[in-house]
Amino acid sequence: MANQVVSAPGRVNLIGEHIDYHMLPVLPMALRRAVRVRFQPRADRRITAESGEYGARAFEWTPNLAPVAAGDWENYLRAAAQAVAGKWGVLHGIDARVTSDLPAAAGLSSSSALIVAFTLALLRANGREATFDELMEILPDGEQFVGTRGGGMDHAASLASKQGCATLIHFEPLSVCHVPIPREWAFLVAHSMHTAEKSGAVRERYNAVRTAGNDALRELGFASYAEAIAKADLAGVQQKVFVHVVSEARRVMECVQAMKADQPERFGRLLLDSHASLRDRLEVSSPALDRLVDAAMASGALGARLTGAGFGGCAVVLCRRPDIDKVRGGLENNFYQSPDGKSAPLFEAEAGAGAVHS
């Protein structure tokens, strides 16, 4: 059988950080950068995969796979296989070649894109076409195989985004709404020059943020954050994580309103409010990310904030399309100190389609 290819995009989260695992709405958009898996079905249960960057891996697909060494990229392949096996059983394996134009450890969901792409490859090699709902049943929990207790935003954005649109994702119940991005809006993704590896101490800190949010919810006597948003009096709340989660969820819906009404200044202010909350309440920013946001604003941006889990990685920057070259140049000169821009990890984020969006 001839080789097949499946592609799963990364995403930039416009707003709604550290709240998807509390089942609250988020607003990412898929990028036109992706993880691609070229594969060929096998007749046995062996899985082999090769990456030019990370090397070759091979293992036998069994019902109860165990993780390998922490930080090894094979864990993401095993996570996909384990997720598939949990719903459809162990199937035939594949021989795969993995490539990507997504920067790793940048807060752009390269790891989730790999799991999505490899899951789709395993299913398609076995003649299975899963629905979006079926995939969302298995992928968020499947990623916890590697030790990161995240939510479902990255997988939903990678699967079901639409070109030219931001993706409003609700989780209770699961739904996706595509919000067209106004033509005169432009988003840049700018790297802080510090990686955001979710392993070791950083992974423990990431998981601790989620735990703190759950603990605050219980202490205040709410059954869910949806109930807390409807009933909480924020003036009397002391738990910083709780305040972030509730206020960030409200910012998401305000951003949707701003995008629909073509109000970029309002959207930009909400980005800055989000960054301040992530910096001061959750303490997941970094000095480099803070300087990057400041440099973006000094260069003429309307708003900017860290995107992804934090601890390093990228910021998302909003500007008017006619100002994009000015903002880009300001960042190249003032943050990256690279007048020619050649070494600046900075690109325009164009909203792309998801892996299964029709």
Side-chain angles (χ1 to χ4, degrees):
M1 182 180 293
N3 285 343
Q4 303 177 55
V5 180
V6 66
S7 176
R11 62 96 190 98
V12 57
N13 189 21
L14 301 181
I15 198 156
E17 216 65 80
H18 283 277
I19 64 172
D20 64 325
Y21 48 70
H22 294 306
M23 309 304 287
L24 294 173
V26 291
L27 188 69
M29 70 180 188
L31 296 169
R32 296 184 187 180
R33 295 180 177 223
V35 173
R36 297 170 183 85
V37 178
R38 184 177 295 274
F39 65 95
Q40 191 168 38
R42 294 177 61 100
D44 56 17
R45 293 182 173 178
R46 191 160 182 78
I47 292 174
T48 72
E50 182 181 351
S51 160
E53 185 172 0
Y54 299 112
R57 297 291 186 273
F59 58 94
E60 198 72 17
W61 191 359
T62 60
N64 295 298
L65 291 169
V68 294
D72 193 313
W73 81 289
E74 184 178 325
N75 283 321
Y76 296 98
L77 313 180
R78 288 176 172 247
Q82 188 79 347
V84 171
K87 187 169 183 66
W88 291 280
V90 175
L91 307 173
H92 291 129
I94 58 174
D95 294 320
R97 169 76 178 174
V98 179
T99 58
S100 174
D101 58 357
L102 273 169
L108 301 178
S109 193
S110 59
S111 59
S112 294
L114 173 57
I115 291 178
V116 169
F118 213 78
T119 296
L120 292 174
L122 290 171
L123 289 170
R124 291 178 185 178
N126 286 278
R128 306 290 179 97
E129 286 292 336
T131 67
F132 172 68
D133 286 348
E134 287 174 329
L135 290 165
M136 287 300 295
E137 286 177 17
I138 64 170
L139 286 170
D141 288 343
E143 186 148 353
Q144 294 180 14
F145 180 90
V146 301
T148 303
R149 300 194 64 79
M153 170 180 62
D154 299 348
H155 316 91
S158 186
L159 288 166
S161 292
K162 182 178 180 181
Q163 187 168 316
C165 295
T167 306
L168 176 61
I169 304 165
H170 288 271
F171 296 100
E172 290 186 328
L174 179 65
S175 68
V176 169
C177 176
H178 300 118
V179 184
I181 298 170
R183 290 177 180 269
E184 289 299 297
W185 294 28
F187 290 98
L188 292 168
V189 170
H191 203 292
S192 68
M193 308 295 285
H194 291 264
T195 57
E197 292 280 3
K198 288 207 291 278
S199 60
V202 170
R203 183 176 64 198
E204 292 176 11
R205 173 68 180 134
Y206 176 92
N207 290 339
V209 169
R210 175 176 180 162
T211 300
N214 290 335
D215 290 346
L217 192 68
R218 284 195 297 271
E219 288 176 14
L220 289 163
F222 293 112
S224 69
Y225 271 97
E227 178 187 352
I229 289 168
K231 298 180 179 179
D233 177 7
L234 294 183
V237 173
Q238 299 301 313
Q239 290 87 346
K240 292 192 295 184
V241 173
F242 179 88
V243 176
H244 168 78
V245 172
V246 174
S247 62
E248 185 79 350
R250 290 174 173 165
R251 281 189 288 271
V252 169
M253 302 316 297
E254 286 188 52
C255 275
V256 171
Q257 293 170 6
M259 185 170 281
K260 289 181 176 179
D262 194 5
Q263 298 172 327
E265 294 86 357
R266 180 185 177 195
F267 197 103
R269 288 193 299 271
L270 290 162
L271 294 184
L272 292 170
D273 290 346
S274 174
H275 183 81
S277 184
L278 290 160
R279 179 192 64 213
D280 300 334
R281 293 178 178 135
L282 261 59
E283 300 178 4
V284 298
S285 188
S286 69
L289 280 165
D290 295 340
R291 290 195 305 272
L292 180 54
V293 168
D294 290 343
M297 297 307 295
S299 301
L302 297 175
R305 69 172 197 90
L306 71 84
T307 186
F311 313 103
C314 290
V316 59
V317 178
L318 170 65
C319 63
R320 295 179 181 86
R321 184 157 297 283
D323 295 335
I324 190 170
D325 289 338
K326 180 181 72 172
V327 174
R328 189 197 305 268
L331 285 169
E332 289 168 352
N333 287 313
N334 299 326
F335 184 82
Y336 297 107
Q337 298 180 336
S338 173
D340 60 6
K342 290 182 179 178
S343 63
L346 175 66
F347 63 91
E348 182 178 355
E350 299 177 279
V356 300
H357 181 73
S358 56

